[in-house]
Amino acid sequence: MAEARKLYIRTYGCQMNVYDSERMAEALGGNGYVEVSSPEEADMILLNTCHIREKAAEKVYSELGRMRELKLARPDLKIGVAGCVAQAEGAEIMRRQPMVDLVVGPQSYHRLPEMEREAGQGAKVLDTDFPEEDKFEKLEARPKAKRGPAAFLTVQEGCDKFCAFCVVPYTRGAEVSRPASRILDEARDLVDRGVREITLLGQNVNAYHGAGPDGDWSLARLIRELARIDGLARIRFTTSHPNDMGDDLIAAHGECDKLMPYLHLPVQSGSDRILKRMNRQHTAEGYLRLVERIRAARPDILLSGDFIVGFPEETEADFQATLDLIEAVGYGSAFSFKYSTRPGTPAAERPQVAEAEKDERLQRLQALITRQQRAAQDGMVGREVGVLFEKPGRMPGQMIGKSDYLHSVVVDGPAPEAGTLSRVRILASHPNSLLGECI
Ligand code: SAH
Ligand code: SF4
Ligand code: F3S
């Protein structure tokens, strides 16, 4: 048998890219590739890229610059660019960095094996089409290899919301939901391979409306059916849009034991003026009322969010309204970003906030979030939580896992092995993790 060729994938951006990278590695497995962990030993390098902010997109070109050295030393090396930069910039990538062999957009991954063969014959190949078919069904079946205890599963992709700052509707295309039966099959397969926790992924995951045997299923219905799979212990989903948080999904948070008490629910801003300019289609008050309803269904739920500071025309008063909203909600964690101008999006043309102002606002917002995050973590001390153990810690005998609330929890030995779901008493709160003991 020919020696396996070596594939190195570097993944940027969101969890969906992590999932896509797994699927691409599996698909290229059919072409005789095995994954390796360093670019130096690879026969093919694939960068799975993110276009969400300018820095993320530019990183790709500096990375390609470094890869160029490898290719000069080994001309047989193939270099591919996948993901959202591939979609957004297409042929421009090969123009800026001519040693790139292959450019493939997120909706064309089913063509990757064929494209790799063409590239192997010396062709430059590019595909950034938006075909109608479900690309995942066209990809080869996932091999039966053992898996870690936690896995991602994409159920919905794309976005029809067109927030004024965001490239995702252009890079991922229109909202598409995968059929429920395919998702259930994939989930059962993951569980057979050792997975105990599945995070359902979508750019607007709660807008899910995939075909089921008896009409379209909502995300809540899908979760209830997934919960019937023996051996699957935990279900999560991300990312949700506030306007798609239906009553049935809120109810599921109160009724479905396997659905974990953690919800990422981005709001971006607390100012109605800015929310309107962002085209978010909801108000700050509407968001706060939604949070109340979610907490009524599941009082201990931990919320996280995304915030953009320095959106065009954001005043100090608008920013203050965001801080007020954060105070009112009390987040368990949050991600915050300085607004980044994205070519082709409506907000790019509007009056921009000065960089120094953005920096200052980001610092103030992050200080508040850090305080809330610490408070939420400290509040766990003395409590008993479920922990799914995933990997050994730094000290001998230690194991690290995720709590129901998605905190990292470290337990000293003798600790249970990876894949075990245990009840753990939280003993102490450290900056980035909790210390616990198994009960
Ligand atoms: N679908 C998700 C978010 C996808 S992008 C949602 O609707 O919330 C992830 C986060 O990146 C966004 O929530 C937003 O906070 C941030 N983001 C998107 N575009 C941005 C931009 N142009 N500048 C800064 N942050 C941005
Ligand atoms: Fe982007 Fe808005 Fe769609 Fe989220 S909902 S992916 S922020 S356009
Ligand atoms: Fe980035 Fe594309 Fe995800 S732009 S955040 S990789 S959907």
mmCIF file of all heavy atoms in Angstrom, residues 149-185:
data_model
loop_
_atom_site.group_PDB
_atom_site.id
_atom_site.type_symbol
_atom_site.label_atom_id
_atom_site.label_comp_id
_atom_site.label_asym_id
_atom_site.label_seq_id
_atom_site.Cartn_x
_atom_site.Cartn_y
_atom_site.Cartn_z
ATOM 1 N N PRO A 149 -15.219 12.863 24.184
ATOM 2 C CA PRO A 149 -16.572 12.880 24.744
ATOM 3 C C PRO A 149 -17.481 14.000 24.233
ATOM 4 O O PRO A 149 -18.694 13.879 24.319
ATOM 5 C CB PRO A 149 -16.341 13.047 26.252
ATOM 6 C CG PRO A 149 -14.884 13.145 26.467
ATOM 7 C CD PRO A 149 -14.155 13.038 25.183
ATOM 8 N N ALA A 150 -16.913 15.097 23.703
ATOM 9 C CA ALA A 150 -17.757 16.213 23.266
ATOM 10 C C ALA A 150 -17.558 16.472 21.783
ATOM 11 O O ALA A 150 -16.432 16.446 21.295
ATOM 12 C CB ALA A 150 -17.424 17.476 24.056
ATOM 13 N N ALA A 151 -18.654 16.695 21.062
ATOM 14 C CA ALA A 151 -18.559 16.904 19.610
ATOM 15 C C ALA A 151 -19.509 18.004 19.156
ATOM 16 O O ALA A 151 -20.515 18.288 19.814
ATOM 17 C CB ALA A 151 -18.886 15.607 18.877
ATOM 18 N N PHE A 152 -19.172 18.604 18.023
ATOM 19 C CA PHE A 152 -20.056 19.569 17.358
ATOM 20 C C PHE A 152 -20.835 18.867 16.257
ATOM 21 O O PHE A 152 -20.356 17.910 15.656
ATOM 22 C CB PHE A 152 -19.230 20.690 16.702
ATOM 23 C CG PHE A 152 -18.494 21.548 17.674
ATOM 24 C CD1 PHE A 152 -17.134 21.813 17.500
ATOM 25 C CD2 PHE A 152 -19.139 22.124 18.761
ATOM 26 C CE1 PHE A 152 -16.441 22.624 18.378
ATOM 27 C CE2 PHE A 152 -18.454 22.942 19.646
ATOM 28 C CZ PHE A 152 -17.101 23.188 19.452
ATOM 29 N N LEU A 153 -22.023 19.380 15.983
ATOM 30 C CA LEU A 153 -22.818 18.843 14.881
ATOM 31 C C LEU A 153 -23.581 20.009 14.236
ATOM 32 O O LEU A 153 -24.450 20.609 14.882
ATOM 33 C CB LEU A 153 -23.797 17.788 15.424
ATOM 34 C CG LEU A 153 -24.354 16.728 14.478
ATOM 35 C CD1 LEU A 153 -25.248 15.759 15.231
ATOM 36 C CD2 LEU A 153 -25.077 17.270 13.285
ATOM 37 N N THR A 154 -23.248 20.330 13.006
ATOM 38 C CA THR A 154 -23.934 21.435 12.327
ATOM 39 C C THR A 154 -25.331 21.003 11.897
ATOM 40 O O THR A 154 -25.489 19.981 11.231
ATOM 41 C CB THR A 154 -23.118 21.893 11.099
ATOM 42 O OG1 THR A 154 -21.900 22.484 11.576
ATOM 43 C CG2 THR A 154 -23.887 22.919 10.279
ATOM 44 N N VAL A 155 -26.341 21.789 12.314
ATOM 45 C CA VAL A 155 -27.725 21.465 11.943
ATOM 46 C C VAL A 155 -28.311 22.516 11.008
ATOM 47 O O VAL A 155 -29.284 22.266 10.300
ATOM 48 C CB VAL A 155 -28.645 21.318 13.183
ATOM 49 C CG1 VAL A 155 -28.089 20.250 14.116
ATOM 50 C CG2 VAL A 155 -28.835 22.627 13.929
ATOM 51 N N GLN A 156 -27.723 23.694 11.043
ATOM 52 C CA GLN A 156 -28.252 24.817 10.262
ATOM 53 C C GLN A 156 -27.060 25.643 9.841
ATOM 54 O O GLN A 156 -26.074 25.714 10.555
ATOM 55 C CB GLN A 156 -29.204 25.619 11.161
ATOM 56 C CG GLN A 156 -29.855 26.835 10.563
ATOM 57 C CD GLN A 156 -28.969 28.073 10.590
ATOM 58 O OE1 GLN A 156 -27.971 28.135 11.289
ATOM 59 N NE2 GLN A 156 -29.334 29.046 9.808
ATOM 60 N N GLU A 157 -27.165 26.227 8.664
ATOM 61 C CA GLU A 157 -26.042 27.039 8.211
ATOM 62 C C GLU A 157 -26.573 28.241 7.446
ATOM 63 O O GLU A 157 -27.648 28.190 6.850
ATOM 64 C CB GLU A 157 -25.130 26.196 7.321
ATOM 65 C CG GLU A 157 -23.814 26.872 7.031
ATOM 66 C CD GLU A 157 -22.763 25.926 6.451
ATOM 67 O OE1 GLU A 157 -22.996 24.710 6.417
ATOM 68 O OE2 GLU A 157 -21.720 26.441 6.033
ATOM 69 N N GLY A 158 -25.814 29.318 7.483
ATOM 70 C CA GLY A 158 -26.206 30.514 6.750
ATOM 71 C C GLY A 158 -27.098 31.427 7.567
ATOM 72 O O GLY A 158 -27.535 31.082 8.658
ATOM 73 N N CYS A 159 -27.356 32.614 7.004
ATOM 74 C CA CYS A 159 -28.110 33.614 7.753
ATOM 75 C C CYS A 159 -28.861 34.538 6.809
ATOM 76 O O CYS A 159 -28.312 34.986 5.813
ATOM 77 C CB CYS A 159 -27.143 34.411 8.625
ATOM 78 S SG CYS A 159 -27.995 35.667 9.567
ATOM 79 N N ASP A 160 -30.129 34.798 7.154
ATOM 80 C CA ASP A 160 -30.951 35.728 6.372
ATOM 81 C C ASP A 160 -31.174 37.049 7.100
ATOM 82 O O ASP A 160 -32.009 37.844 6.703
ATOM 83 C CB ASP A 160 -32.344 35.106 6.105
ATOM 84 C CG ASP A 160 -32.264 33.846 5.262
ATOM 85 O OD1 ASP A 160 -31.252 33.670 4.559
ATOM 86 O OD2 ASP A 160 -33.217 33.049 5.310
ATOM 87 N N LYS A 161 -30.447 37.287 8.194
ATOM 88 C CA LYS A 161 -30.768 38.434 9.040
ATOM 89 C C LYS A 161 -30.114 39.735 8.561
ATOM 90 O O LYS A 161 -30.615 40.807 8.820
ATOM 91 C CB LYS A 161 -30.352 38.144 10.482
ATOM 92 C CG LYS A 161 -31.068 36.958 11.119
ATOM 93 C CD LYS A 161 -32.280 37.432 11.874
ATOM 94 C CE LYS A 161 -32.937 36.364 12.743
ATOM 95 N NZ LYS A 161 -33.235 35.093 12.111
ATOM 96 N N PHE A 162 -28.952 39.651 7.965
ATOM 97 C CA PHE A 162 -28.262 40.828 7.434
ATOM 98 C C PHE A 162 -28.097 41.956 8.453
ATOM 99 O O PHE A 162 -28.506 43.096 8.210
ATOM 100 C CB PHE A 162 -28.964 41.354 6.170
ATOM 101 C CG PHE A 162 -28.819 40.408 4.999
ATOM 102 C CD1 PHE A 162 -29.771 39.423 4.749
ATOM 103 C CD2 PHE A 162 -27.692 40.464 4.176
ATOM 104 C CE1 PHE A 162 -29.624 38.533 3.689
ATOM 105 C CE2 PHE A 162 -27.538 39.568 3.112
ATOM 106 C CZ PHE A 162 -28.509 38.607 2.876
ATOM 107 N N CYS A 163 -27.503 41.653 9.580
ATOM 108 C CA CYS A 163 -27.087 42.720 10.494
ATOM 109 C C CYS A 163 -26.111 43.603 9.719
ATOM 110 O O CYS A 163 -25.304 43.092 8.928
ATOM 111 C CB CYS A 163 -26.413 42.142 11.723
ATOM 112 S SG CYS A 163 -27.504 41.064 12.674
ATOM 113 N N ALA A 164 -26.182 44.919 9.977
ATOM 114 C CA ALA A 164 -25.489 45.867 9.098
ATOM 115 C C ALA A 164 -23.964 45.755 9.143
ATOM 116 O O ALA A 164 -23.275 46.277 8.275
ATOM 117 C CB ALA A 164 -25.912 47.290 9.460
ATOM 118 N N PHE A 165 -23.442 45.064 10.166
ATOM 119 C CA PHE A 165 -21.982 44.988 10.325
ATOM 120 C C PHE A 165 -21.401 43.674 9.820
ATOM 121 O O PHE A 165 -20.187 43.502 9.775
ATOM 122 C CB PHE A 165 -21.629 45.115 11.825
ATOM 123 C CG PHE A 165 -22.437 44.204 12.717
ATOM 124 C CD1 PHE A 165 -22.083 42.875 12.885
ATOM 125 C CD2 PHE A 165 -23.566 44.675 13.382
ATOM 126 C CE1 PHE A 165 -22.835 42.032 13.685
ATOM 127 C CE2 PHE A 165 -24.324 43.840 14.192
ATOM 128 C CZ PHE A 165 -23.958 42.508 14.337
ATOM 129 N N CYS A 166 -22.234 42.706 9.446
ATOM 130 C CA CYS A 166 -21.793 41.304 9.439
ATOM 131 C C CYS A 166 -21.633 40.706 8.037
ATOM 132 O O CYS A 166 -22.480 40.881 7.162
ATOM 133 C CB CYS A 166 -22.797 40.478 10.241
ATOM 134 S SG CYS A 166 -22.347 38.751 10.413
ATOM 135 N N VAL A 167 -20.552 39.947 7.855
ATOM 136 C CA VAL A 167 -20.276 39.320 6.552
ATOM 137 C C VAL A 167 -20.911 37.933 6.395
ATOM 138 O O VAL A 167 -20.947 37.387 5.290
ATOM 139 C CB VAL A 167 -18.747 39.137 6.307
ATOM 140 C CG1 VAL A 167 -18.048 40.481 6.183
ATOM 141 C CG2 VAL A 167 -18.109 38.285 7.414
ATOM 142 N N VAL A 168 -21.389 37.365 7.491
ATOM 143 C CA VAL A 168 -21.815 35.957 7.456
ATOM 144 C C VAL A 168 -22.879 35.649 6.387
ATOM 145 O O VAL A 168 -22.775 34.644 5.690
ATOM 146 C CB VAL A 168 -22.252 35.472 8.861
ATOM 147 C CG1 VAL A 168 -22.909 34.101 8.802
ATOM 148 C CG2 VAL A 168 -21.044 35.428 9.791
ATOM 149 N N PRO A 169 -23.906 36.510 6.215
ATOM 150 C CA PRO A 169 -24.891 36.196 5.165
ATOM 151 C C PRO A 169 -24.263 36.100 3.772
ATOM 152 O O PRO A 169 -24.787 35.410 2.895
ATOM 153 C CB PRO A 169 -25.873 37.364 5.238
ATOM 154 C CG PRO A 169 -25.753 37.869 6.644
ATOM 155 C CD PRO A 169 -24.298 37.705 6.988
ATOM 156 N N TYR A 170 -23.126 36.788 3.586
ATOM 157 C CA TYR A 170 -22.461 36.740 2.279
ATOM 158 C C TYR A 170 -21.499 35.557 2.179
ATOM 159 O O TYR A 170 -21.304 35.002 1.102
ATOM 160 C CB TYR A 170 -21.706 38.053 2.017
ATOM 161 C CG TYR A 170 -22.552 39.277 2.311
ATOM 162 C CD1 TYR A 170 -22.451 39.952 3.515
ATOM 163 C CD2 TYR A 170 -23.487 39.730 1.370
ATOM 164 C CE1 TYR A 170 -23.245 41.052 3.801
ATOM 165 C CE2 TYR A 170 -24.293 40.819 1.652
ATOM 166 C CZ TYR A 170 -24.169 41.484 2.869
ATOM 167 O OH TYR A 170 -24.967 42.557 3.148
ATOM 168 N N THR A 171 -20.859 35.185 3.300
ATOM 169 C CA THR A 171 -19.870 34.105 3.215
ATOM 170 C C THR A 171 -20.505 32.725 3.380
ATOM 171 O O THR A 171 -20.019 31.748 2.818
ATOM 172 C CB THR A 171 -18.759 34.249 4.275
ATOM 173 O OG1 THR A 171 -19.336 34.165 5.581
ATOM 174 C CG2 THR A 171 -18.024 35.571 4.125
ATOM 175 N N ARG A 172 -21.571 32.645 4.157
ATOM 176 C CA ARG A 172 -22.201 31.337 4.402
ATOM 177 C C ARG A 172 -23.484 31.169 3.607
ATOM 178 O O ARG A 172 -24.060 30.076 3.586
ATOM 179 C CB ARG A 172 -22.489 31.142 5.888
ATOM 180 C CG ARG A 172 -21.250 31.006 6.744
ATOM 181 C CD ARG A 172 -20.729 29.562 6.737
ATOM 182 N NE ARG A 172 -19.418 29.494 7.363
ATOM 183 C CZ ARG A 172 -18.772 28.359 7.629
ATOM 184 N NH1 ARG A 172 -19.333 27.193 7.344
ATOM 185 N NH2 ARG A 172 -17.585 28.374 8.168
ATOM 186 N N GLY A 173 -23.980 32.251 3.041
ATOM 187 C CA GLY A 173 -25.174 32.153 2.212
ATOM 188 C C GLY A 173 -26.466 32.165 3.012
ATOM 189 O O GLY A 173 -26.467 32.451 4.206
ATOM 190 N N ALA A 174 -27.565 31.851 2.330
ATOM 191 C CA ALA A 174 -28.897 31.895 2.940
ATOM 192 C C ALA A 174 -29.061 30.752 3.944
ATOM 193 O O ALA A 174 -28.350 29.756 3.893
ATOM 194 C CB ALA A 174 -29.951 31.772 1.844
ATOM 195 N N GLU A 175 -29.996 30.958 4.859
ATOM 196 C CA GLU A 175 -30.287 29.953 5.885
ATOM 197 C C GLU A 175 -30.730 28.630 5.279
ATOM 198 O O GLU A 175 -31.679 28.585 4.502
ATOM 199 C CB GLU A 175 -31.450 30.451 6.746
ATOM 200 C CG GLU A 175 -31.019 30.934 8.096
ATOM 201 C CD GLU A 175 -32.190 31.467 8.886
ATOM 202 O OE1 GLU A 175 -33.189 30.740 9.053
ATOM 203 O OE2 GLU A 175 -32.090 32.619 9.305
ATOM 204 N N VAL A 176 -30.052 27.547 5.662
ATOM 205 C CA VAL A 176 -30.436 26.201 5.230
ATOM 206 C C VAL A 176 -30.418 25.295 6.462
ATOM 207 O O VAL A 176 -29.470 25.326 7.245
ATOM 208 C CB VAL A 176 -29.439 25.638 4.188
ATOM 209 C CG1 VAL A 176 -29.856 24.237 3.760
ATOM 210 C CG2 VAL A 176 -29.339 26.541 2.973
ATOM 211 N N SER A 177 -31.480 24.492 6.628
ATOM 212 C CA SER A 177 -31.529 23.525 7.733
ATOM 213 C C SER A 177 -31.355 22.122 7.170
ATOM 214 O O SER A 177 -31.941 21.778 6.145
ATOM 215 C CB SER A 177 -32.882 23.599 8.452
ATOM 216 O OG SER A 177 -33.047 24.856 9.056
ATOM 217 N N ARG A 178 -30.575 21.303 7.850
ATOM 218 C CA ARG A 178 -30.411 19.907 7.411
ATOM 219 C C ARG A 178 -31.636 19.089 7.839
ATOM 220 O O ARG A 178 -32.221 19.355 8.895
ATOM 221 C CB ARG A 178 -29.145 19.300 8.020
ATOM 222 C CG ARG A 178 -27.870 20.003 7.597
ATOM 223 C CD ARG A 178 -26.654 19.395 8.256
ATOM 224 N NE ARG A 178 -26.422 18.015 7.806
ATOM 225 C CZ ARG A 178 -25.622 17.160 8.436
ATOM 226 N NH1 ARG A 178 -25.004 17.513 9.539
ATOM 227 N NH2 ARG A 178 -25.445 15.942 7.952
ATOM 228 N N PRO A 179 -31.997 18.066 7.066
ATOM 229 C CA PRO A 179 -33.136 17.232 7.459
ATOM 230 C C PRO A 179 -32.908 16.574 8.820
ATOM 231 O O PRO A 179 -31.785 16.156 9.134
ATOM 232 C CB PRO A 179 -33.186 16.166 6.360
ATOM 233 C CG PRO A 179 -32.389 16.713 5.227
ATOM 234 C CD PRO A 179 -31.371 17.631 5.811
ATOM 235 N N ALA A 180 -33.972 16.468 9.599
ATOM 236 C CA ALA A 180 -33.864 15.938 10.965
ATOM 237 C C ALA A 180 -33.302 14.519 10.998
ATOM 238 O O ALA A 180 -32.476 14.191 11.856
ATOM 239 C CB ALA A 180 -35.233 15.978 11.635
ATOM 240 N N SER A 181 -33.740 13.666 10.042
ATOM 241 C CA SER A 181 -33.306 12.267 10.096
ATOM 242 C C SER A 181 -31.788 12.141 9.937
ATOM 243 O O SER A 181 -31.152 11.315 10.574
ATOM 244 C CB SER A 181 -34.008 11.465 9.002
ATOM 245 O OG SER A 181 -33.666 12.000 7.743
ATOM 246 N N ARG A 182 -31.208 12.997 9.107
ATOM 247 C CA ARG A 182 -29.750 12.958 8.903
ATOM 248 C C ARG A 182 -29.027 13.356 10.187
ATOM 249 O O ARG A 182 -27.994 12.809 10.543
ATOM 250 C CB ARG A 182 -29.341 13.937 7.797
ATOM 251 C CG ARG A 182 -30.070 13.745 6.503
ATOM 252 C CD ARG A 182 -29.216 12.956 5.513
ATOM 253 N NE ARG A 182 -30.005 12.527 4.366
ATOM 254 C CZ ARG A 182 -30.373 13.305 3.361
ATOM 255 N NH1 ARG A 182 -30.030 14.582 3.348
ATOM 256 N NH2 ARG A 182 -31.073 12.829 2.376
ATOM 257 N N ILE A 183 -29.587 14.347 10.871
ATOM 258 C CA ILE A 183 -28.962 14.823 12.101
ATOM 259 C C ILE A 183 -29.052 13.739 13.179
ATOM 260 O O ILE A 183 -28.076 13.460 13.885
ATOM 261 C CB ILE A 183 -29.643 16.126 12.564
ATOM 262 C CG1 ILE A 183 -29.378 17.232 11.528
ATOM 263 C CG2 ILE A 183 -29.147 16.550 13.937
ATOM 264 C CD1 ILE A 183 -30.283 18.434 11.671
ATOM 265 N N LEU A 184 -30.220 13.103 13.276
ATOM 266 C CA LEU A 184 -30.379 12.024 14.264
ATOM 267 C C LEU A 184 -29.412 10.879 13.971
ATOM 268 O O LEU A 184 -28.786 10.343 14.885
ATOM 269 C CB LEU A 184 -31.831 11.525 14.275
ATOM 270 C CG LEU A 184 -32.841 12.513 14.885
ATOM 271 C CD1 LEU A 184 -34.264 12.106 14.555
ATOM 272 C CD2 LEU A 184 -32.660 12.611 16.399
ATOM 273 N N ASP A 185 -29.276 10.517 12.682
ATOM 274 C CA ASP A 185 -28.330 9.453 12.307
ATOM 275 C C ASP A 185 -26.906 9.825 12.699
ATOM 276 O O ASP A 185 -26.162 9.019 13.248
ATOM 277 C CB ASP A 185 -28.359 9.198 10.789
ATOM 278 C CG ASP A 185 -29.613 8.452 10.356
ATOM 279 O OD1 ASP A 185 -30.324 7.926 11.247
ATOM 280 O OD2 ASP A 185 -29.889 8.406 9.145
#
